[in-house]
Amino acid sequence: MNIIVTRLEHLRHEMRAESIDVIIIPSTDPHNSEYPARHWQSRQWISGFTGSAGTAVITLTEAALWTDSRYFIQAARQLEGSGFKLMRQGLADTPTVMQWVSQKLAAYGGTYVAVDGMTMSYDMVTTMQRELRRLGGITVRTNYDAMRMLWKDRPAIPNGPIRTQPLAFAGESVGSKIARIRKEIRAMGCLAHVTTDLMSIAWTMNLRGCDVAYTPIFVSFLYISDSEVCLFANEAGMTADAISQMREAGVSIHPYDSFADFLHNRQEEKILCDSKNTCFSLYDIIAKRAVDTPSPIISMKAVKNSAEIDGMKQAMLRDGVAMVKFLRWLKPAVEAGGQTEISISKKLEEIRAVHPMYEEPSFSTIAGYNEHGAIVHYSATAESDAALKSEGLILIDSGAQYADGTTDITRTIALGPLTDYMRKAYTLVLKAHIALATLQFPDGTTGTQIDAVARSVVWREGMNYLHGTGHGVGAHLAVHEGPHSIRMDWNSAPLHAGMTVTDEPGLYVEGQFGIRTENTMLVVPSCETPFGRFLRMEYLTLCPIDTTPIVWEMMTEEETIWLRSYHKKVAEALLPLLDDEEDREWLMNSCLVV
C-alpha cells in the first residue's frame, strides 16, 4: 500500500478520536519560512509532495492539496495513488481552500476544523474563522499539531551552531541597526517590536546559522523595545564571538521555547507586529495591544549597503569562475556518455565547493533536461533522473551561499541539435531578459509595473509564463528576499537603489522543453531629470549566455549590442581569474557574438 495512504488512515483515526472533521496543514513553520526546517515539513510528510509551496486539507473521507503553477506537473506525479486530489491554485475552476472546506462541511454536517496555530499566520487563521462563521456552528481549533502523535521519527527542532557575520561583510554594526529600528518603531507610535522572521533576525544581529537548508539562519525570535533587546535562540550553540557581539550590543539571550511565556508577561501597549507573517499562537497573545504593520526590518534589509554590495559582487565573480569551469566540462562530458541530471548537479556543486568561501547551495539545483525543463521547480530523483544526450536543451537553475554573498543564476544550454520551435522560444526569452535589463524607470516604481516590459515580448507571440519575472536576493541570506518582486500579481513594494533582484523570464512547453535565462541584478541610480530620479539595473551575474540557439534574425541591433557588451564585461572580469588555458579559451569563444 502507498505509504501516504497509510499515513492518511492513521491521521483519520486520530481525527475521529479528537472529533475533528477537517485538518489543514500548510507548508510553513512558526517563522513563515519558505524553506522550513525538517521538523516543520508536515505537509510534505503527510502528502508526499516535495514542492516548497502547498496546502494539504484532509477530511474524514477525502484529501486535497493546493499548489501553484510552478508545481502543477511535479505535484500531479507525486500525488498519484496517494489519495490526494491536486487542486491547481489560481485557475478559474479551482475552488479556494475555504470554498472547498465550506462545501465539505456543509455536505458532511461537520463542525470542527483543526490547524496548528504555530504554523499558520494570525491573518490566515482569523480570515478562516470569519469565512467559516457564516456556515454557523463551526469551531476552528488552533492548538492541534497532528504530527506530534503520528510522525514517529520526526526530526527535532534544530539548534545548530550560531556564528557572527563579520562587520566587513555586514557593513553595519548590530548597535547601529538596533538604533535605526528603534527610530522606526517610535515613528510608528509603538513602544516595542516583535519579529519572528528568521532572515530579519539574522540580519539585525549580524549572526548566521545552519538550522535551515540552503539558508544560513537559525531558529529564533526577537523582541526590541527602547530599553531592551531580547533574542530567543540556542545560546549553547553560539560561538564565543557571537555571545560577545550580543553583549556588546546590549542583547540578552533567552531560550527559544520561552518566547510565548515572555510575551504573556509583557505589559507594553502598542507592540509593532505583522499579523500576515506572525503565527497565530504568538500573535494572539498580544493581539489586543498589537499595531499590525509590516516590520521595518524587511525594507531596511532589502537595500544593501556598500559592504554587502561588494560581497555580492565578489560572490558573483567566484561563481562566474565556477560556472565557466562547469559549462566547459558539460558538453564533452555529455558526449562521452554516462551523465544524468543528478550527476551534473553534483559536478557543479563540487566545482563551487573548491573555493574556501563556499558554504552550500542557495537552493536545490534544478537541472531539467528536455521535458523536465518544463517543470518550473523540477528536482531530479533517483526515479526521474534523466540520462543526457547530445541533443535538445537542459535548463540549469542553481546558486551558492558564499560567506559574503548569495548567488542565483539560470542558463539554458543547447546540448546538440534543436528544433526551430526551441530556437524561437530561446530567442524570445533572451529578448525578454534584455528588455528588462535595459529598462530605465522612475525611483519608487514597483516590480508589478515593470513586469510587463519583459513579459510583453512573449505575449506578442501568444505565449506566457506563470511564475514571477524576478525576486530579491539576500546578502548571504535567503535566495528569495522581499518585500519587492517583479511579477504580475500586485506588489506595492517600491524598487530603490541598492536592492538586488533577478531578471528571469522563461517559456515552458509541457512534455517538450523549458527555457529560462536568469541574472541577478543590482538596482542603481541612472539619472535625474526635471521629471525626477530614474533607476536602472546593473547585472551582478557574470557568465556567458549560450549563443548557439539564438535566431539572430529575431534580434534587434540594440539587443545584439547589449549581448555583445555583456559578454565583453564577462570576459574582462573572469579571464584574469582563470588559470587553466582551456577554460580561458572556452570563455573567449563563448563570449563571441555575431
Side-chain angles (χ1 to χ4, degrees):
M1 180 182 289
N2 186 304
I3 186 64
I4 302 303
V5 173
T6 301
R7 288 173 182 174
L8 284 175
E9 287 181 357
H10 291 165
L11 175 58
R12 288 181 175 125
H13 176 77
E14 294 296 327
M15 290 169 65
R16 292 185 185 96
E18 294 284 335
S19 299
I20 293 170
D21 301 294
V22 178
I23 184 167
I24 301 174
I25 304 176
S27 299
T28 51
D29 61 7
H31 309 278
N32 198 34
S33 304
E34 179 180 11
Y35 299 112
R38 290 180 60 222
H39 175 82
W40 289 293
Q41 292 177 7
S42 300
R43 187 268 304 152
Q44 178 175 326
W45 185 85
I46 194 63
S47 70
F49 168 59
T50 60
S52 66
T55 301
V57 183
I58 300 98
T59 76
L60 294 174
T61 58
E62 298 179 69
L65 184 133
W66 279 254
T67 192
D68 61 57
S69 61
R70 296 172 296 170
Y71 298 109
F72 287 171
I73 301 173
Q74 175 184 340
R77 293 176 180 175
Q78 291 184 332
L79 296 180
E80 188 175 354
S82 69
F84 274 89
K85 178 182 180 182
L86 173 60
M87 309 299 281
R88 292 174 170 81
Q89 188 175 313
L91 299 188
D93 59 350
T94 301
T96 65
V97 170
M98 280 300 96
Q99 287 170 341
W100 192 82
V101 169
S102 298
Q103 180 189 49
K104 300 307 174 185
L105 287 172
Y108 302 152
T111 58
Y112 282 93
V113 175
V115 300
D116 179 1
M118 286 297 293
T119 62
M120 191 173 285
S121 75
Y122 182 85
D123 184 71
M124 188 178 295
V125 172
T126 52
T127 298
M128 179 191 311
Q129 290 171 331
R130 284 195 303 270
E131 291 190 24
L132 292 177
R133 193 175 296 134
R134 62 184 175 79
L135 292 180
I138 304 298
T139 299
V140 178
R141 180 175 169 180
T142 59
N143 64 347
Y144 186 65
D145 180 3
M147 300 303 110
R148 186 174 301 165
M149 293 290 292
L150 297 178
W151 195 351
K152 301 300 183 183
D153 57 348
R154 185 178 189 178
I157 294 175
N159 58 351
I162 301 171
R163 64 190 187 276
T164 59
Q165 177 72 344
L167 187 60
F169 299 155
E172 184 180 7
S173 70
V174 178
S176 174
K177 290 178 179 180
I178 290 172
R180 286 207 288 143
I181 293 166
R182 281 173 166 158
K183 183 178 179 181
E184 291 296 320
I185 294 171
R186 290 191 295 268
M188 295 180 185
C190 296
L191 300 176
H193 176 35
V194 166
T195 182
T196 63
D197 177 66
L198 300 183
M199 270 63 68
S200 294
I201 297 170
W203 178 86
T204 302
M205 298 289 101
N206 285 350
L207 297 174
R208 298 295 187 268
C210 57
D211 286 349
V212 178
Y214 312 123
T215 312
I217 53 180
F218 52 98
V219 295
S220 53
F221 302 107
L222 182 62
Y223 173 91
I224 300 176
S225 72
D226 255 352
S227 59
E228 61 182 333
V229 180
C230 303
L231 175 65
F232 297 78
N234 174 34
E235 183 174 4
M238 289 187 175
T239 64
D241 286 346
I243 293 174
S244 175
Q245 182 170 279
M246 293 300 93
R247 288 174 179 165
E248 183 180 334
V251 178
S252 61
I253 306 168
H254 307 264
Y256 174 78
D257 59 7
S258 69
F259 188 57
D261 289 339
F262 174 87
L263 289 182
H264 276 295
N265 293 326
R266 303 315 297 178
Q267 301 300 317
E268 294 95 345
E269 298 292 330
K270 295 188 176 180
I271 300 176
L272 191 157
C273 195
D274 184 0
S275 69
K276 291 182 176 62
N277 291 298
T278 306
C279 69
F280 177 88
S281 296
L282 295 177
Y283 191 94
D284 192 52
I285 298 171
I286 59 171
K288 293 181 180 178
R289 297 175 287 140
V291 175
D292 184 6
T293 191
S295 169
I297 302 173
I298 302 293
S299 295
M300 290 180 184
K301 175 170 59 68
V303 177
K304 310 297 186 288
N305 60 45
S306 58
E308 291 172 321
I309 292 170
D310 184 63
M312 295 286 280
K313 288 181 176 180
Q314 293 303 313
M316 299 292 173
L317 277 170
R318 66 180 72 99
D319 211 52
V321 169
M323 286 296 298
V324 166
K325 291 178 178 295
F326 169 74
L327 291 174
R328 180 180 76 81
W329 167 87
L330 180 61
K331 286 187 181 181
V334 171
E335 289 171 2
Q339 297 301 324
T340 70
E341 294 165 332
I342 291 178
S343 72
I344 68 165
S345 298
K346 289 180 178 178
K347 179 67 174 181
L348 177 53
E349 184 174 352
E350 288 171 5
I351 293 173
R352 282 182 166 133
V354 169
H355 199 283
M357 297 282 276
Y358 175 83
E359 292 181 356
E360 63 178 331
S362 56
F363 56 97
S364 179
T365 296
I366 299 167
Y369 179 52
N370 283 343
E371 66 269 21
H372 287 168
I375 306 172
V376 177
H377 275 208
Y378 172 73
S379 181
T381 65
E383 295 74 27
S384 70
D385 189 21
L388 306 187
K389 302 177 182 178
S390 295
E391 61 185 35
L393 294 168
I394 185 162
L395 185 157
I396 305 170
D397 187 351
S398 68
Q401 291 287 1
Y402 296 95
D404 52 356
T406 304
T407 71
D408 186 4
I409 174 176
T410 307
R411 290 293 184 266
T412 306
I413 307 299
L415 295 179
L418 305 177
T419 66
D420 289 344
Y421 188 31
M422 288 176 171
R423 296 182 66 230
K424 177 182 178 180
Y426 183 94
T427 308
L428 287 171
V429 169
L430 177 59
K431 289 167 68 70
H433 177 91
I434 295 171
L436 188 59
T438 56
L439 181 67
Q440 181 171 270
F441 52 93
D443 189 4
T445 297
T446 70
T448 305
Q449 290 171 311
I450 65 174
D451 177 82
V453 172
R455 206 174 290 271
S456 64
V457 175
V458 297
W459 281 349
R460 283 195 291 268
E461 300 293 326
M463 300 175 175
N464 196 16
Y465 52 95
L466 299 181
H467 59 72
T469 303
H471 57 81
V473 178
H476 192 220
L477 279 170
V479 74
H480 296 143
E481 179 179 78
H484 59 293
S485 61
I486 302 175
R487 60 188 311 110
M488 291 178 68
D489 301 336
W490 175 245
N491 182 348
S492 62
L495 295 170
H496 295 302
M499 287 181 167
T500 53
V501 65
T502 61
D503 175 1
E504 51 177 311
L507 285 174
Y508 312 92
V509 181
E510 185 173 351
Q512 296 186 45
F513 62 86
I515 296 164
R516 186 161 64 251
T517 297
E518 175 189 21
N519 282 349
T520 299
M521 317 290 283
L522 174 68
V523 181
V524 297
S526 181
C527 66
E528 188 165 352
T529 76
F531 296 92
R533 289 190 297 273
F534 285 78
L535 306 173
R536 60 181 176 84
M537 287 187 280
E538 171 186 292
Y539 43 81
L540 296 176
T541 302
L542 296 165
C543 177
I545 295 169
D546 192 359
T547 59
T548 55
I550 297 174
V551 180
W552 292 104
E553 293 79 11
M554 293 173 59
M555 298 279 284
T556 67
E557 182 180 355
E558 290 79 9
E559 290 164 345
T560 302
I561 289 172
W562 179 91
L563 184 58
R564 188 178 293 123
S565 173
Y566 175 70
H567 275 176
K568 181 174 184 291
K569 292 185 178 180
V570 168
E572 290 173 348
L574 298 185
L575 277 173
L577 305 178
L578 293 168
D579 297 326
D580 188 293
E581 189 58 39
E582 291 185 5
D583 288 341
R584 293 169 60 87
E585 183 179 353
W586 181 92
L587 176 62
M588 290 299 294
N589 290 334
S590 298
C591 287
L592 294 176
V593 177
V594 297

